[in-house]
């Protein structure tokens, strides 16, 4: 007799299901505007049960943002859901001119971020959105890691006004030692491994790549003999005030992201270090990001091709530690 298995909940599903439930419980009237993405965001059942709550404008991202602004001016809390690659590039100007400059209560659900939609084709890669939205004043740029974190962030988004850009992936994210269920408050930074008192390496990631940095930190500690820790940076803008203290004390810090090099996580870490008033020795910041278009393909294969698997990150960190000890090695950011 065959046994039916329940598909594992993706990060995006955990977020959208919790967000809808929290919005229904909340006091504010709301509407969700999607860009031909109602089914992609797993909102089909919600749209059938609440047809007046979901408006699909089709493949028209700028129109979705303009409609969201008008609906907000009409007294509604608004959520806009679309593929991050297209929403960030096609609608950046109305996001800035309408939503950000007017401080509108609009939350953007930017789906399939980074390389996570790799099999849909290279044009679906969202490898610029973090930098683009960080450059828009007034937009909060956030991302959850696993399903537990996604539910906590969804509750935060439902109860705190925008404008906000939420980066999501439609795949499960696996973290060990983290609560799988149960309510908790969302925080802009979260330790994924306990920070050792004599830590040599801190691996930082934003969103789904938290899975890789947690594994890499453990590989460094157990197999390379290098005390390491992993930190999830759940908010890229504004930079969390506690971030500088977390970075302080680690000689080597890795910024891990499936984004193009300028303006993303590494820039946020650099901002935190630059604004640090305590001072001390500045960590050696190693960029682990994209330096060339990776093409299309399976997500795991794309991570390997771009050097972002846990094993590759651990090797990269071990090399950076070795170079720090070698007086002939060149300094600066990698």
């Amino acid at each position: 007799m065959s046994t039916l298995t329940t598909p594992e909940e993706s990060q995006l599903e955990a977020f959208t299901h919790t967000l809808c439930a929290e919005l229904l419980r909340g006091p504010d009237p709301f509407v969700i505007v999607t860009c031909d993405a109602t089914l992609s965001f797993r909102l089909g059942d919600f749209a059938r049960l609440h047809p007046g709550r979901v408006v699909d404008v089709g493949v028209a991202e700028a129109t979705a943002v303009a409609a969201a602004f008008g609906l907000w001016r009409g007294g509604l809390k608004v959520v806009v859901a679309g593929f991050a690659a297209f929403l960030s590039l096609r609608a950046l100007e109305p996001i800035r001119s309408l939503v950000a400059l007017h401080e509108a209560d609009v939350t953007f659900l930017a789906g399939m971020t980074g390389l996570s939609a790799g099999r849909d084709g290279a044009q679906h890669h969202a490898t610029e959105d973090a930098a683009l939205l960080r450059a828009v004043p007034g937009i909060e740029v956030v991302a959850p890691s696993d399903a537990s974190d996604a539910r906590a962030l969804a509750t935060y988004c439902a109860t705190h006004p925008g404008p906000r850009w939420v980066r999501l992936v439609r795949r499960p994210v696996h973290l060990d030692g983290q609560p799988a269920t149960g309510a908790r408050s969302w925080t802009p930074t979260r330790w994924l491994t306990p920070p050792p008192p004599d830590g040599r390496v801190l691996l930082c990631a934003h969103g789904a790549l938290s899975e890789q940095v947690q594994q890499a930190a453990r590989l460094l500690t157990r197999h390379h003999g290098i005390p390491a820790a992993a930190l999830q940076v759940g908010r890229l803008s504004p930079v969390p005030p506690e971030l500088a203290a977390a970075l302080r004390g680690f000689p080597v810090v890795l910024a891990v992201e499936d984004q193009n090099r300028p303006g993303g996580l590494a820039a946020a870490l650099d901002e935190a270090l630059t604004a640090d008033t305590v001072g001390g020795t500045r960590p050696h910041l190693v960029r682990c990001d994209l330096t060339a278009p990776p093409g299309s393909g399976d997500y795991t294969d794309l991570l390997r091709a771009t050097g972002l698997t846990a094993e590759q990150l651990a090797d990269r960190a071990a090399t950076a530690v070795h170079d720090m000890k070698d007086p002939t090695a060149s300094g600066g950011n990698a």
Side-chain angles (χ1 to χ4, degrees), residues 158-197:
T159 54
H160 291 74
R164 182 176 300 109
W165 182 265
V166 185
R167 306 185 71 243
L168 299 166
V169 299
R170 198 175 56 198
R171 57 183 299 108
V173 178
H174 303 102
L175 291 176
D176 298 329
Q178 305 293 319
T181 59
R184 66 174 184 82
S185 297
W186 179 78
T187 56
T189 61
R190 181 167 62 134
W191 289 102
L192 301 174
T193 61

Side-chain angles (χ1 to χ4, degrees), residues 255-301:
V256 179
E257 55 186 336
D258 51 353
Q259 291 281 288
N260 293 336
R261 175 146 290 190
L265 174 61
L269 300 183
D270 187 67
E271 288 177 24
L273 292 169
T274 301
D276 188 9
T277 59
V278 175
T281 303
R282 185 183 175 95
H284 177 64
L285 184 59
V286 180
R287 294 172 177 265
C288 301
D289 48 26
L290 307 181
T291 57
S296 60
D298 180 76
Y299 179 63
T300 302
D301 292 338

Side-chain angles (χ1 to χ4, degrees), residues 7-332:
E8 190 174 1
E9 185 180 36
S10 71
Q11 181 211 78
L12 181 146
E13 289 169 326
F15 183 93
T16 55
H17 294 165
T18 302
L19 180 69
C20 290
E22 293 289 343
L23 289 173
L24 286 172
R25 279 195 289 266
D28 300 322
F30 71 93
V31 66
I32 301 174
V33 180
T34 78
C35 307
D36 192 29
T38 301
L39 297 182
S40 295
F41 277 77
R42 306 301 188 249
L43 293 168
D45 290 340
F46 182 83
R48 284 188 289 272
L49 291 172
H50 309 278
R53 300 281 193 184
V54 179
V55 178
D56 195 329
V57 301
V59 185
E61 285 77 9
T63 299
V65 177
F69 177 71
L71 291 163
W72 168 72
R73 290 293 294 266
L76 296 176
K77 187 178 184 73
V78 187
V79 175
V80 177
F83 276 62
F86 310 125
L87 191 57
S88 63
L89 294 168
R90 293 175 178 170
L92 186 62
E93 188 276 327
I95 289 174
R96 181 198 64 127
S97 301
L98 298 178
V99 175
L101 294 183
H102 291 85
E103 300 179 349
D105 186 6
V106 177
T107 292
F108 297 98
L109 307 188
M112 290 48 87
T113 55
L115 303 174
S116 65
R119 284 199 173 277
D120 293 334
Q123 71 273 22
H124 287 78
H125 295 333
T127 54
E128 310 89 1
D129 69 293
L132 291 173
L133 272 297
R134 268 178 39 81
V136 179
I139 296 280
E140 185 180 26
V141 180
V142 296
S145 53
D146 61 355
S148 172
D149 197 47
R151 286 187 282 269
L153 179 57
T155 300
Y156 169 84
C157 292
T159 54
H160 291 74
R164 182 176 300 109
W165 182 265
V166 185
R167 306 185 71 243
L168 299 166
V169 299
R170 198 175 56 198
R171 57 183 299 108
V173 178
H174 303 102
L175 291 176
D176 298 329
Q178 305 293 319
T181 59
R184 66 174 184 82
S185 297
W186 179 78
T187 56
T189 61
R190 181 167 62 134
W191 289 102
L192 301 174
T193 61
D198 57 344
R200 296 286 299 162
V201 174
L202 176 62
L203 298 105
C204 299
H206 178 63
L209 284 176
S210 297
E211 177 181 338
Q212 278 68 41
V213 300
Q214 185 191 61
Q215 295 174 9
R218 290 175 175 164
L219 287 172
L220 278 166
T221 302
R222 296 170 183 171
H223 299 298
H224 291 270
I226 300 173
L231 180 72
Q232 174 194 348
V233 183
R235 190 177 74 202
L236 292 185
S237 183
V239 174
E242 68 272 18
L243 184 55
L247 301 175
R248 199 181 303 130
F250 287 92
V252 175
V253 173
L254 271 65
V256 179
E257 55 186 336
D258 51 353
Q259 291 281 288
N260 293 336
R261 175 146 290 190
L265 174 61
L269 300 183
D270 187 67
E271 288 177 24
L273 292 169
T274 301
D276 188 9
T277 59
V278 175
T281 303
R282 185 183 175 95
H284 177 64
L285 184 59
V286 180
R287 294 172 177 265
C288 301
D289 48 26
L290 307 181
T291 57
S296 60
D298 180 76
Y299 179 63
T300 302
D301 292 338
L302 289 174
L303 290 185
R304 186 176 299 107
T306 52
L308 295 175
T309 67
E311 293 80 7
Q312 290 168 317
L313 293 171
D315 289 342
R316 182 85 178 271
T319 298
V321 170
H322 177 269
D323 289 345
M324 291 278 288
K325 295 177 181 178
D326 183 355
T328 65
S330 59

